[in-house]
Amino acid sequence: MFLIFKRLWQVNWAEQWQYRANLLMYLLYWLVSPIVYLAVWTSIANVKGDVNGFTANDFTTYYMVLLICDQITSNIIIHTFAYKIQDGSLSGELIKPIHPMLTNALVNNVAFKVLTIMGLIPVWIVLFMLFKPDFSGITLTGVLLSIPVMIVAFFIGYLLSATIVSLAFWTTRIYSIHEFYFALILLFSGQFVPLPLMPKLIQDIAQYLPFQLLLYFPIQLILGKLSTEQIVLGYIMSGVWLVVAVVLFNLVWRNGVKRFSAVGA
């Protein structure tokens, strides 16, 4: 299995370098919104002094860390796999002795992620020099604790997105469904605005959903703003949602493949 993944990595790494313009467009897509949020909220905080206790530096550090976490935990499976189900090209992958979405598609996402992170680094440095954030609250312990959290968060997000992609076995409106899913992430993950600034109802709902595990939890963990009890609870929730995501994906995938047909593919 190691040799299989090694070969898949070599192929997908080389493939990603062939689509540099596409890579740049995706990177800009991911960067624009957080940078806009960063500029807007810091401007408001500078004028008012703070926004419900959040200072300009709080917003700066939050969104600067968010840029990193978002690159690590996000995925592009909807763009790289859904069309294969719709146009029938998936049939060629189903006859291979490896799971098409948990091997090649997964490695493709990781290769893409490595390149986007490489592109993020110079942008992040420029933003650091422009906004001059104070990261004095960050500790090595918080950073180390956040690493497994972000890895698990990536797999949770990937499997949930893969579950939605698998709905393409039943409907052609899969992209619309995934856009709704992305809107939920935007609302409940803390990407649009830190969750403490959201209405109480949104905060209460977000505690039980997987979306805050993708961004808000690792961000607060890195910034050192969580108690021991909150960290333990976050780890438990991550484990629970990982199991849920695995079960959901397997259920939808297996039933979808049974009804898949690709005449002439």
Side-chain angles (χ1 to χ4, degrees):
M1 183 59 72
F2 172 76
L3 293 177
I4 292 175
F5 275 99
K6 179 182 178 181
R7 182 55 181 163
L8 289 174
W9 170 261
Q10 292 171 341
V11 172
N12 282 283
W13 179 252
E15 179 183 318
Q16 290 298 332
W17 281 102
Q18 301 305 311
Y19 297 96
R20 293 181 291 274
N22 183 60
L23 179 74
L24 178 61
M25 293 303 297
Y26 270 112
L27 182 61
L28 291 175
Y29 169 77
W30 257 298
L31 290 178
V32 168
S33 293
I35 292 176
V36 170
Y37 301 150
L38 168 62
V40 170
W41 285 110
T42 52
S43 297
I44 295 174
N46 281 324
V47 172
K48 292 188 175 183
D50 67 84
V51 179
N52 290 346
F54 274 76
T55 64
N57 185 68
D58 290 333
F59 283 115
T60 302
T61 55
Y62 182 88
Y63 283 107
M64 290 287 285
V65 175
L66 182 146
L67 287 170
I68 298 173
C69 293
D70 193 26
Q71 290 297 318
I72 295 174
T73 62
S74 59
N75 69 86
I76 58 170
I77 188 66
I78 183 65
H79 302 295
T80 61
F81 201 90
Y83 75 90
K84 295 182 180 180
I85 301 176
Q86 295 177 331
D87 65 16
S89 57
L90 175 62
S91 58
E93 297 192 29
L94 289 176
I95 62 175
K96 298 177 181 179
I98 56 176
H99 196 298
M101 205 178 291
L102 298 182
T103 52
N104 188 57
L106 176 61
V107 174
N108 181 270
N109 269 255
V110 174
F112 175 84
K113 190 176 301 296
V114 172
L115 284 179
T116 55
I117 291 175
M118 290 170 58
L120 170 67
I121 292 174
V123 176
W124 198 91
I125 293 174
V126 170
L127 291 173
F128 181 87
M129 292 188 294
L130 288 175
F131 289 93
K132 297 179 175 61
D134 178 10
F135 286 118
S136 58
I138 294 180
T139 64
L140 178 60
T141 301
V143 173
L144 293 177
L145 286 174
S146 71
I147 294 174
V149 167
M150 288 188 286
I151 293 174
V152 172
F154 166 71
F155 282 105
I156 292 173
Y158 182 86
L159 289 170
L160 291 177
S161 288
T163 301
I164 294 175
V165 169
S166 298
L167 294 177
F169 288 116
W170 287 273
T171 177
T172 59
R173 304 291 296 175
I174 191 63
Y175 292 100
S176 298
I177 296 174
H178 198 274
E179 282 300 313
F180 176 72
Y181 168 74
F182 181 75
L184 293 178
I185 294 177
L186 190 67
L187 179 64
F188 292 108
S189 70
Q191 181 172 349
F192 175 65
V193 63
L195 287 178
L197 300 182
M198 297 292 284
K200 185 64 167 56
L201 178 62
I202 299 296
Q203 295 182 46
D204 292 339
I205 295 175
Q207 292 179 11
Y208 303 99
L209 296 178
F211 309 121
Q212 56 96 12
L213 300 172
L214 304 180
L215 290 176
Y216 182 73
F217 178 55
I219 291 172
Q220 296 298 86
L221 190 54
I222 292 173
L223 293 177
K225 296 187 176 182
L226 298 177
S227 64
T228 302
E229 291 76 12
Q230 289 174 314
I231 295 173
V232 172
L233 179 60
Y235 265 80
I236 293 173
M237 289 293 292
S238 296
V240 169
W241 272 108
L242 180 60
V243 173
V244 171
V246 169
V247 172
L248 278 176
F249 170 69
N250 280 314
L251 179 64
V252 177
W253 173 263
R254 289 177 180 176
N255 285 280
V257 169
K258 290 178 182 177
R259 58 178 286 119
F260 177 68
S261 61
V263 179

